[in-house]
Amino acid sequence: MELLANLRDSTARRSRAAGKLAACVLRDPEAVLSMTTAALAAEVGVSEPTVNRFCTGLGLKGFPDFKLQLAAELARQQPRVAPDIEAGDSSSQVIAKLFEATRASLDRVQAGLDDGAVEAAVQTLEQSRSISLCGLGASASVALDAQHKLMRFGVPATAYTDVINQRVLTTNIHSGDCLLCISWTGRTRAMAELAELAAAAGAAVIGITAPGSPVAAHCGPVLAVEGGEDTELFTPMTSRLAQLVVIDVLATRWALLRGGDYQAHLARMKQVLADTRYPAGKSGGRS
Amino acid sequence: MELLANLRDSTARRSRAAGKLAACVLRDPEAVLSMTTAALAAEVGVSEPTVNRFCTGLGLKGFPDFKLQLAAELARQQPRVAPDIEAGDSSSQVIAKLFEATRASLDRVQAGLDDGAVEAAVQTLEQSRSISLCGLGASASVALDAQHKLMRFGVPATAYTDVINQRVLTTNIHSGDCLLCISWTGRTRAMAELAELAAAAGAAVIGITAPGSPVAAHCGPVLAVEGGEDTELFTPMTSRLAQLVVIDVLATRWALLRGGDYQAHLARMKQVLADTRYPAGKSGGRS
DNA sequence: TTCAAAAATGTAGTTTAATTACATCTTCTG
DNA sequence: CAGAAGATGTAATTAAACTACATTTTTGAA
């Protein structure tokens, strides 16, 4: 576990040969899997026992063990592919495939998400007087979800899921306000116009949308959520979940930035909610 | 890839020794990773070359290669653990941890989801005259999302996210109607009462909630979404996503059951939505 | 700068694991 | 029941990994 991260760690004290070996493994980890000690030694230009010492030095049993660990770690981080759902699929097949497809879309969105953009978006939120969340269609529920989430963290935000209300909103926001536009395709006319109007009014506009799209064009920080799969029949819905994770990221990062008081806040909120609930029972009832 | 599934496949024609080997590997795959040919041969009671032949017969290079593949596959299916988010985490760390935590919660929910319950829920939906979706708080946006999704598949359903409206609803639904209750904790008073009233009125009640909870007690088919982690500060939000996947599963399975016409329906819907959008551009604009 | 100690690396040899070649046994098929 | 095809085991071979020891390089203190 964390083998590659370990090798990547530049703070680790390493001998010259070990450094070359680490670099070689990082350069092409897959290739190492089909190499013998001798092959890797030759590749790097060191002796065979050095390769062995390198492995034992990592706390492993030897070179074969090293390859085993490496294979496991590579498999774990290899992006998943969304399986096709077919007409005859049973419930259990649909379950397996849909969960797998969801994981695949998480992989894809995570890969495309720029942490600089996240940081910029959080900064923008931080400095805003008010926050408005807008989404239409499937993204409407995402906007509502975001509103709920931010509220939990003690941040007042308002979701607008109605084209008219969204238009009215643009007449009320100005410099110092923030609009968060959620659009899967990034090509919904109403949303692009909304972003444009808000930007023109001087508001900061954050996009959770497809990069390079009309909506993205009018946004400041753009959190890339590449859609791009309406080709498949069932997948669009799985990938939309990734938008929600992106919002989780924003909310969490912000909460961390603001420091310790949110913890007390969350505890207080839990107390308030507890009164609306039955107490936790014996069988599976958790808070 | 699919090595274990391959071994599990009973239709495959296998010799007696190969069968014993497959059984042994399936019994404890992890253990095999630290065995040599000789050790595995002794364990199963066959000769060493037989072990080797077993591996090459699977299309692999030999026993070491077999172990490599096995390690990769085990790593891939091993449930992930949600990493703890810490105060000093950077944006990129928050991204990595939150995506990982989301994958972990998908693993957990998938493991707890019973395909019999899914099938029963789909049957119930199938036979219902009307479908109402209810959720409160964070589950409200899930209900709205479900409404949108079902609508896309041509199934009229109505989401109620307001306690009063939900109460009024119970006076209007009867036998032949279906109520889908979405509750994370399963202990929200209002939701449990709602389920009880609806069930008393003769409606079919499906729960997407914690098994064994007060809400679940009044539901017919219960799609288990074990919450159980308010202990952690940031994780509740990641696990909620799994509810959405469960709804995806329901909607998809149902669409499959209904057969081919949904495809034409989706195509028609895409056409209608296209008019609200800018055409796909060169840079990243996809349908 | 120099010398000694410690660490790192390499060479050669040893051990262990994996594979191959061949013989024997079992199990179908005609 | 005979014969052939396939499966399995034994023994030998090859190849890989590891160990012991010698050599080189680096490091730190005088």
Side-chain angles (χ1 to χ4, degrees):
Chain A
M1 208 87 99
E2 300 178 15
L3 210 161
L4 287 169
N6 212 331
L7 295 182
R8 225 174 273 122
D9 178 19
S10 51
T11 66
R13 179 216 159 304
R14 250 192 286 275
S15 75
R16 200 184 31 209
K20 284 195 288 180
L21 279 167
C24 178
V25 172
L26 289 173
R27 196 176 324 120
D28 190 358
E30 327 269 352
V32 175
L33 294 182
S34 54
M35 285 182 180
T36 70
T37 319
L40 181 57
E43 176 88 22
V44 178
V46 297
S47 69
E48 298 184 32
T50 301
V51 173
N52 193 359
R53 279 189 280 260
F54 174 71
C55 299
T56 53
L58 254 35
L60 304 168
K61 297 216 188 87
F63 186 65
D65 191 30
F66 174 80
K67 289 207 290 185
L68 237 47
Q69 297 292 123
L70 187 63
E73 192 156 326
L74 288 175
R76 177 163 282 263
Q77 66 179 39
Q78 179 186 325
R80 295 161 181 271
V81 285
D84 283 345
I85 289 162
E86 282 152 35
D89 284 349
S90 68
S91 276
S92 60
Q93 282 173 311
V94 171
I95 291 171
K97 288 185 177 180
L98 229 47
F99 273 87
E100 190 66 9
T102 304
R103 290 192 191 94
S105 76
L106 284 178
D107 289 346
R108 206 157 30 77
V109 170
Q110 183 178 8
L113 195 59
D114 178 48
D115 44 304
V118 169
E119 202 54 40
V122 172
Q123 291 294 339
T124 305
L125 288 173
E126 179 89 64
Q127 291 154 15
S128 296
R129 185 175 31 197
S130 81
I131 299 169
S132 306
L133 312 164
C134 289
L136 289 168
S139 299
S141 54
V142 176
L144 288 167
D145 187 79
Q147 172 184 352
H148 178 85
K149 212 163 333 192
L150 289 170
M151 234 166 67
R152 284 205 159 213
F153 279 120
V155 180
T158 316
Y160 299 87
T161 61
D162 174 303
V163 206
I164 302 295
N165 287 346
Q166 289 171 357
R167 282 296 173 117
V168 172
L169 173 68
T170 61
T171 66
N172 293 326
I173 60 176
H174 311 287
S175 174
D177 294 320
C178 175
L179 172 67
L180 204 146
C181 286
I182 304 165
S183 171
W184 177 247
T185 63
R187 298 205 326 278
T188 307
R189 254 178 244 278
M191 196 52 65
E193 290 167 8
L194 180 65
E196 188 171 12
L197 287 170
V205 184
I206 301 173
I208 297 186
T209 189
S213 65
V215 171
H218 300 106
C219 293
V222 174
L223 304 175
V225 178
E226 273 278 19
E229 49 179 285
D230 261 13
T231 46
E232 254 311 310
L233 215 66
F234 297 98
T235 34
M237 52 187 185
T238 68
S239 23
R240 197 179 23 70
L241 293 199
Q243 289 181 324
L244 293 165
V245 182
V246 171
I247 287 174
D248 286 345
V249 169
L250 273 188
T252 304
R253 175 67 184 140
W254 190 5
L256 288 180
L257 260 187
R258 288 163 63 227
D261 57 333
Y262 64 87
Q263 198 146 353
H265 179 85
L266 280 179
R268 213 156 46 237
M269 187 195 60
K270 247 174 226 182
Q271 187 50 50
V272 173
L273 285 179
D275 297 340
T276 70
R277 294 179 184 157
Y278 292 109
K282 55 234 163 268
S283 60
R286 317 243 187 96
S287 164
Chain B
M1 206 88 99
E2 299 178 16
L3 210 162
L4 287 169
N6 212 329
L7 296 182
R8 226 174 272 122
D9 177 19
S10 52
T11 66
R13 176 215 160 303
R14 251 192 287 275
S15 73
R16 198 177 24 169
K20 283 195 289 182
L21 280 166
C24 178
V25 172
L26 289 173
R27 197 178 322 120
D28 190 357
E30 326 269 351
V32 175
L33 294 181
S34 54
M35 285 182 182
T36 68
T37 321
L40 182 57
E43 175 88 23
V44 178
V46 297
S47 69
E48 298 184 32
T50 301
V51 172
N52 193 357
R53 279 189 279 261
F54 174 70
C55 299
T56 53
L58 253 35
L60 304 168
K61 297 215 189 87
F63 186 65
D65 190 30
F66 175 80
K67 288 208 289 187
L68 237 47
Q69 298 291 122
L70 187 62
E73 192 157 327
L74 288 176
R76 178 164 279 265
Q77 66 178 38
Q78 180 185 325
R80 294 161 183 271
V81 285
D84 282 346
I85 288 163
E86 282 152 36
D89 285 349
S90 69
S91 277
S92 59
Q93 282 173 311
V94 171
I95 292 171
K97 288 185 176 179
L98 228 48
F99 273 87
E100 191 66 8
T102 304
R103 291 191 190 92
S105 76
L106 284 178
D107 289 347
R108 206 156 30 78
V109 171
Q110 185 178 8
L113 195 59
D114 178 48
D115 45 302
V118 170
E119 201 55 40
V122 172
Q123 292 294 338
T124 305
L125 288 172
E126 178 90 64
Q127 290 154 13
S128 296
R129 185 174 30 191
S130 80
I131 299 170
S132 304
L133 312 164
C134 290
L136 290 167
S139 300
S141 54
V142 176
L144 288 167
D145 187 79
Q147 173 183 351
H148 178 87
K149 213 162 332 192
L150 289 171
M151 232 166 69
R152 282 204 160 214
F153 280 121
V155 180
T158 316
Y160 299 87
T161 60
D162 173 302
V163 206
I164 303 294
N165 287 345
Q166 290 172 358
R167 282 297 173 117
V168 173
L169 173 67
T170 60
T171 65
N172 293 325
I173 58 177
H174 311 287
S175 172
D177 294 319
C178 175
L179 172 67
L180 204 146
C181 286
I182 305 166
S183 170
W184 178 246
T185 62
R187 299 205 326 277
T188 306
R189 255 178 244 278
M191 197 51 66
E193 290 167 8
L194 181 65
E196 187 171 14
L197 286 170
V205 184
I206 301 173
I208 297 186
T209 190
S213 65
V215 171
H218 300 106
C219 293
V222 174
L223 304 175
V225 178
E226 273 277 21
E229 48 180 284
D230 259 12
T231 46
E232 254 310 310
L233 215 67
F234 297 99
T235 33
M237 52 188 187
T238 67
S239 21
R240 197 179 24 70
L241 292 199
Q243 289 182 325
L244 293 165
V245 183
V246 171
I247 287 174
D248 286 345
V249 169
L250 274 188
T252 303
R253 176 67 184 140
W254 190 5
L256 288 180
L257 261 188
R258 289 161 64 226
D261 56 334
Y262 64 85
Q263 197 145 353
H265 178 84
L266 281 179
R268 211 156 49 236
M269 187 196 59
K270 247 173 224 182
Q271 186 51 50
V272 174
L273 285 179
D275 298 340
T276 70
R277 293 181 184 156
Y278 292 109
K282 56 235 162 273
S283 59
R286 317 244 188 94
S287 161

